[in-house]
Amino acid sequence: MSELPALRPETDTHCPYCALQCGTRLTGDRDVGVKVEPTDFPVNRGRLCQKGWTAPDVLAAADRLTRPLVRGPDGRLTETSWDTALDTVAEGLRRIRARHGPDAVAVFGGGGLTNEKAYLLGKFARLALATSQIDYNGRFCMSSAALAGNEAFGLDRGLPFPVGDLRSARTVLLAGANIAETMPPLMQHLERAELIVVDPRRTATAGRAKLHLQPAPGTDLALVLGLLHIAVVDGLLDQDYIRRRTRGIEGAVRRAMTWWPERVESITGVPVSAQREAVRMLAGAEAGDRDRDRDGGGGAYVLTGRGVEQHSRGTDTAAGFINLALALGLPGSGRGGYGCLTGQGNGQGGREHGQKADQLPGYRSITDPAARAHVAGVWGVLPEDLPGPGRSAYELLDALGGDGGPRGLLVFGSNPAVSAPHASHVVRRLASLDLLVVADFVPSETARMADVVLPVTQWAEEEGTLTNLEGRVLRRRALMAPPPRVRSDLQVLHDLAVRLGEPPDRYPAVPQDAFDELRAASRGGRADYSGISYERLDTGESLHWPCPAAADPHPGTPRLFLDRFAHSDGRARFADVEHHGPAEDISPAYPLYATTGRVLAHYQSGAQTRRVTESNAAAPEPFVEVHPDTAARSGLADRGLARVTSARGSMTARVRLDATMRLDTVFVPFHFPGEGRANLFTHPALDPRSGMPEFKVSAVRLEALPEAAR
């Protein structure tokens, strides 16, 4: 077994939920219960949201998985020993590979896994399984902004500056982000700033804004092209910055000039006056701080979230907002900037170290010969032994059980039966597998479908590192040991690899050993962690990547791009992008746009927060927000039941009337299972470059249901 963490009467660690990774102090134990208090960590400064305060409740979940389960001949999951469970998995994997080849087995990871787990999962897939078929649920979160950021700046880090810089901002544009509910402690950093919020809904965040732009779903790119048009025509571009630090503005401006304000209003519904006010606010703040010191704060910031990215053209839309920021001279100026608000707890680190289909550790491209050679050298194999790129997340799920698709799937830290688009189709694909293995700590909807369920540790029972939305590498510390028959994900991967014939020392089961190997594998990559160590983190150093190894310890890089961007010539790139609209438009049969998102009480698929009494009391069931006039046309009553139907499927939800909603738009949260899954109706159309599904726009109709239909 792996080395157990040293137990402590109290420990400083981080919240297990979103990418803020708020600092927390835990006390107690399994017998008396665990209590949490916020610490004065820079991102939360002594505050927590409801999810953070109640996070310890999941440690004591009544249905916590504590023994391996194997599905028997009668179709029921039955408790068994670890040896039996792991032997069953290894035998099944060998059988599938022998019949169908290595790509017939696949791995699906998660953006909540620690850096060590993400790293070892990618290594396990590519060496122990020799498969190219690995991706993760972060593909549904950050992939479009990541690609846009890499193309624009040569490097993708959610926020290329510390969160604290926002405290002195004069103006912040938030596009597609409802942080008052999804990241409440972040709001304290925006108390001084005048907010511009771009969102089809009047969210809690929009309610605190000076200016709310409420475009039709799927028209964000048209809106930002119009904002760039106004900046050009009104002479508000930072010409000196553009000349010194960028390339390619000509194509971006040529596109923007066809999006005059009146045309933008006709497509988006955002009034011309509001468009002009938004540009004045951004450009005015930037101009007022042009001489500000480079070491943080001031000026204007453009921040994007899932509402910008989760579209079939999400990469182009994120690039459009980057174009606007570049045109105003913000990124790398030290007086403002652009950033993307990473969602999952380790959404940043999770995409850097190898569980993404096209990447190797250190944010290296799997098709780059030099990258393959470096990682192969660390792993002690030949570069040609490494598989090439595999399918992106939805493409992988869609291929399960089909001709040429994987016949076996291992799932770590994800619940695609609820979280994937076109969920009924994904469930059918999962059910068609010869072998489904799920490692989890609660019986998620995906785990309940599995042939083998492996019980693994929770956040307060394990050591490791995570990387928050600022690129700050953090230490997760254990307060207590896991239940007696629960193993860490690292131990599970080690034990499976050995059963598949791999050398035992190739798969470290001790987190620090895995991290030290990750450091070597990332050395020289875009996300270079080689100068970061547990020892440095444990002494309290605040280290942002890149942090290369050096004779004199590198201090890390809290602020990127101050002198140059990461392209070889040091210049950022404008993108030549055009608005094309959503993959599916409204019609007489489906006359409304449906958009999905999160609510304050719950997180992601809800597998954890739906097990918290306080969270369930706050948001006990799925709901659909709809304008009263729209509801009346569909025969819906407030608090009644409704069916939300698209061309792919239907879900059932409680009606909430909201007079701030657009008449053509309804909103549904995606945290609920069964017939309340929003992803029963969402569209699986993919961004052709990032693989991001179109979660944010579906054409639907509403129908009233009797209460008995629930």
Side-chain angles (χ1 to χ4, degrees):
M1 294 293 292
S2 63
E3 178 183 297
L4 290 174
L7 303 186
R8 308 173 176 94
E10 68 174 31
T11 188
D12 285 352
T13 186
H14 296 271
C15 176
Y17 291 116
C18 83
L20 277 183
Q21 285 297 288
C22 294
T24 60
R25 177 165 296 132
L26 303 180
T27 57
D29 57 37
R30 201 174 301 281
D31 293 328
V32 303
V34 175
K35 294 183 179 180
V36 62
E37 294 289 339
T39 60
D40 193 26
F41 186 65
V43 299
N44 61 306
R45 293 168 57 95
R47 300 185 188 182
L48 289 177
C49 75
Q50 178 179 339
K51 291 181 288 292
W53 282 112
T54 60
D57 291 10
V58 187
L59 297 167
D63 58 352
R64 170 74 188 272
L65 294 170
T66 58
R67 295 172 183 261
L69 305 173
V70 172
R71 196 171 300 279
D74 60 357
R76 299 176 60 186
L77 286 169
T78 304
E79 291 182 357
T80 190
S81 68
W82 270 101
D83 282 342
T84 298
L86 294 171
D87 288 347
T88 300
V89 174
E91 180 183 347
L93 294 173
R94 282 194 296 266
R95 183 172 59 249
I96 292 170
R97 292 176 63 198
R99 292 179 181 175
H100 305 286
D103 276 357
V105 294
V107 177
F108 198 84
L113 300 178
T114 63
N115 289 316
E116 294 81 358
K117 294 177 187 179
Y119 169 77
L120 205 67
L121 193 62
K123 183 180 182 181
F124 173 85
R126 293 178 173 109
L127 297 189
L129 298 179
T131 183
S132 67
Q133 301 301 295
I134 175 172
D135 212 72
Y136 80 129
N137 64 15
R139 178 78 67 171
F140 299 158
C141 177
M142 281 290 299
S143 57
S144 291
L147 180 55
N150 276 318
E151 291 181 347
F153 309 126
L155 184 149
D156 155 50
R157 198 177 85 190
L159 295 186
F161 49 81
V163 161
D165 285 0
L166 296 171
R167 297 183 68 82
S168 56
R170 292 191 181 184
T171 303
V172 175
L173 185 150
L174 285 168
N178 179 21
I179 61 174
E181 291 196 72
T182 60
M183 295 179 168
L186 183 58
M187 289 298 292
Q188 66 183 300
H189 297 280
L190 304 176
E191 290 173 348
R192 173 185 169 184
E194 292 184 333
L195 296 185
I196 306 165
V197 172
V198 180
D199 200 307
R201 301 170 58 222
R202 183 74 174 174
T203 63
T205 308
R208 297 174 64 174
K210 179 176 181 181
L211 181 63
H212 177 204
L213 309 182
Q214 199 166 4
T219 65
D220 286 359
L221 183 50
L223 175 61
V224 76
L225 285 165
L227 299 184
L228 180 56
H229 176 108
I230 293 170
V232 172
V233 171
D234 290 359
L236 298 174
L237 273 56
D238 188 334
Q239 297 289 358
D240 179 63
Y241 173 97
I242 292 167
R243 183 175 56 256
R244 291 185 299 104
R245 304 208 59 189
T246 73
R247 291 191 185 280
I249 191 174
E250 298 81 9
V253 168
R254 186 168 54 250
R255 295 287 189 186
M257 294 313 294
T258 68
W259 287 92
W260 56 93
E262 292 77 12
R263 183 188 181 199
V264 172
E265 179 174 349
S266 71
I267 298 294
T268 68
V270 176
V272 170
S273 60
Q275 297 174 47
R276 294 192 182 281
E277 178 64 13
V279 177
R280 281 196 296 268
M281 289 172 65
L282 283 170
E286 186 276 332
D289 285 80
R290 190 154 292 176
D291 297 324
R292 189 175 181 85
D293 184 86
R294 298 196 324 159
D295 287 334
Y301 289 82
V302 175
L303 305 179
T304 60
R306 304 299 80 72
V308 165
E309 302 164 55
Q310 290 179 327
H311 297 274
S312 57
R313 297 281 181 170
T315 303
D316 288 353
T317 306
F321 282 94
I322 292 173
N323 281 350
L324 179 64
L326 288 171
L328 297 175
L330 303 179
S333 66
R335 45 181 166 73
Y338 165 82
C340 180
L341 299 171
T342 304
Q344 295 189 76
N346 200 31
Q348 183 70 56
R351 67 182 182 272
E352 295 170 356
H353 297 301
Q355 64 172 335
K356 196 161 173 270
D358 54 353
Q359 288 179 193
L360 290 171
Y363 218 135
R364 289 180 159 93
S365 169
I366 199 168
T367 60
D368 177 8
R372 293 172 64 85
H374 174 83
V375 173
V378 173
W379 289 353
V381 299
L382 297 174
E384 54 266 32
D385 292 336
L386 301 181
R391 296 177 174 94
S392 67
Y394 184 78
E395 293 172 313
L396 175 58
L397 296 171
D398 182 49
L400 296 176
D403 292 341
R407 305 294 312 178
L409 178 69
L410 281 66
V411 178
F412 286 77
S414 189
N415 187 18
V418 174
S419 63
H422 200 357
S424 59
H425 172 70
V426 169
V427 166
R428 288 192 294 270
R429 302 281 22 103
L430 291 168
S432 73
L433 290 167
D434 297 340
L435 177 68
L436 174 60
V437 181
V438 175
D440 211 329
F441 47 81
V442 293
S444 71
E445 287 70 25
T446 306
R448 290 173 184 152
M449 297 182 63
D451 300 294
V452 181
V453 179
L454 304 175
V456 292
T457 51
Q458 290 198 58
W459 58 289
E461 303 162 351
E462 62 186 19
E463 300 283 317
T465 63
L466 300 98
T467 306
N468 79 346
L469 79 173
E470 321 158 288
R472 190 193 306 252
V473 182
L474 310 169
R475 276 281 278 121
R476 172 174 284 181
R477 298 181 179 89
L479 175 72
M480 57 192 183
R485 294 178 181 85
V486 169
R487 297 186 182 181
S488 73
D489 301 75
L490 297 182
Q491 185 69 52
V492 169
L493 292 170
H494 171 90
D495 293 347
L496 280 176
V498 170
R499 281 170 167 79
L500 293 171
E502 288 286 287
D505 60 355
R506 183 172 281 173
Y507 300 89
V510 176
Q512 185 167 353
D513 295 343
F515 187 79
D516 286 342
E517 188 178 304
L518 179 159
R519 294 170 60 200
S522 75
R523 183 189 301 265
R526 290 179 179 176
D528 190 336
Y529 283 38
S530 59
I532 303 173
S533 66
Y534 273 38
E535 290 79 11
R536 293 187 71 183
L537 295 175
D538 285 343
T539 61
E541 287 194 71
S542 179
L543 299 173
H544 299 71
W545 70 261
C547 183
D552 294 324
H554 192 283
T557 314
R559 295 178 183 86
L560 294 168
F561 313 139
L562 293 179
D563 297 307
R564 65 192 317 274
F565 294 99
H567 289 299
S568 59
D569 62 1
R571 294 173 178 261
R573 274 40 171 180
F574 282 88
D576 186 348
V577 292
E578 178 62 287
H579 170 69
H580 292 286
E584 174 180 73
D585 209 348
I586 54 178
S587 67
Y590 303 104
L592 299 170
Y593 296 113
T595 190
T596 65
R598 286 171 49 190
V599 297
L600 174 63
H602 289 299
Y603 183 73
Q604 302 301 81
S605 73
Q608 296 175 68
T609 52
R610 285 187 276 110
R611 289 171 164 81
V612 175
T613 301
E614 183 178 323
S615 296
N616 268 336
E621 60 183 349
F623 60 86
V624 54
E625 286 183 351
V626 56
H627 191 282
D629 293 350
T630 305
R633 287 197 296 272
S634 299
L636 306 181
D638 193 28
R639 308 305 303 164
L641 288 180
R643 178 182 289 123
V644 185
T645 301
S646 75
R648 290 156 298 283
S650 302
M651 60 88 68
T652 303
R654 184 74 61 185
V655 175
R656 289 188 182 180
L657 299 185
D658 184 344
T660 70
M661 291 292 293
R662 289 177 56 101
L663 289 166
D664 61 358
T665 302
V666 301
F667 167 78
V668 180
F670 56 69
H671 310 293
F672 298 93
E675 295 305 307
R677 283 174 292 172
N679 281 317
L680 289 170
F681 67 72
T682 51
H683 204 304
L686 302 182
D687 184 304
R689 297 199 293 142
S690 70
M692 171 72 78
E694 187 144 82
F695 289 103
K696 293 301 184 187
V697 190
S698 300
V700 301
R701 65 172 178 263
L702 300 178
E703 303 166 83
L705 290 177
E707 191 68 28
R710 186 178 177 185

